[in-house]
Amino acid sequence: MPAKIYIDGQAGTTALRIREWLAGRDDLQVVVLPEELRKDAEARKQALRDAAVVVLCLPDGAAKDAAAWLADSPVRILDASTAHRVSDGWVYGLPEL
């Protein structure tokens, strides 16, 4: 079974680009919420919890909220915002690549 990836903020420019990069991979399943559920907090929380990897493509405040929802979860989080770049426990990479 392919690993599930959920991109929170799926309609933004960064998320669309990441989806392009992942397109065609059969070892990954990109989870997409229907448009009407995209801003529904409970639907987002469930999608976040069900994924193996989450990519946060959100404004800083929303990225912090989403990460907090996963505080006790084994889900891996990649944050494309600036919310966690210098936070303890987070590793900074090169998101611009």
Side-chain angles (χ1 to χ4, degrees):
M1 176 182 266
K4 287 185 181 180
I5 295 180
Y6 176 62
I7 303 171
D8 201 6
Q10 66 191 26
T13 304
T14 302
L16 293 172
R17 180 65 178 221
I18 291 169
R19 284 176 60 185
E20 279 179 26
W21 291 336
L22 299 176
R25 294 196 49 168
D26 57 4
D27 60 331
L28 302 172
Q29 176 189 354
V30 178
V31 176
V32 178
L33 287 179
E35 182 63 28
E36 65 273 10
L37 296 177
R38 194 170 58 87
K39 294 187 179 190
D40 180 289
E42 288 307 312
R44 286 179 49 228
K45 285 179 186 178
Q46 191 62 53
L48 288 163
R49 290 184 195 122
D50 289 346
V53 175
V54 166
V55 182
L56 303 178
C57 297
L58 302 164
D60 289 357
K64 287 180 180 181
D65 291 342
W69 294 340
L70 295 170
D72 295 329
S73 169
V75 174
R76 296 287 188 163
I77 304 170
L78 302 172
D79 186 4
S81 77
T82 60
H84 298 100
R85 287 193 181 178
V86 294
S87 297
D88 289 338
W90 288 77
V91 176
Y92 176 74
L94 296 173
E96 290 79 10
L97 290 179

